[in-house]
Amino acid sequence: MSRIGKAPIEIPAGVTVTVDADNVVTVKGPKGTLTQKVNPDLKVSVEDGHVAVTRPSDDREHRAQHGLYRALIHNMVVGVSTGYRKEMELVGVGYRAASNGQVLELSLGFSHAIYIKLPPEVKVEAKTERNKNPLIILESDDKQLLGQVCAKIRSLRKPEPYKGKGIKFVGEVIRRKSGKSASAK
């Protein structure tokens, strides 16, 4: 069996997990409600504070989906109970970020500012402190959506390896390259 798939998911206090007839898993908690349609071949059962995902056979596809759906359900349980948070840092002279409701305004060295309208499930906060790089803090209960939004923001100005300028995650290490070196003749 899949090591990830066979591990039971513990349901924390204040979170309810329900599975309906169409194999749709609904997780409700203090941070919100998430739903996920599960492959009808797999069986999801909720009993005495744990969620278990079982597969009918050892086919390659069943083994792959066993671990996948277990991980998706686990991410939903963690998301509605504690939530997810990502911090991004803007490295570069003149790079700025400002948030106004669900709209994020970025100045990334282009001739114009970039405005991104974020989904209502994602909360955004932009911090700017003196002598520090601007920070973008994103919070959500949906891990997939949060990762997608972060990837979209990062794609606007990826960190480059020569000066390290761009949008990076806090704590991320950028591999640096040396520039041109004079050849000895």
Side-chain angles (χ1 to χ4, degrees), residues 5-24:
K6 70 181 177 184
I9 303 164
E10 194 170 320
I11 303 171
V15 176
T16 58
V17 179
T18 56
V19 183
D20 68 3
D22 297 332
N23 230 15
V24 175

Side-chain angles (χ1 to χ4, degrees), residues 73-94:
I73 294 169
H74 179 263
N75 289 343
M76 289 172 18
V77 169
V78 172
V80 298
S81 59
T82 58
Y84 290 100
R85 176 185 172 106
K86 294 267 189 177
E87 295 183 5
M88 302 179 89
E89 184 177 13
L90 278 66
V91 180
V93 177

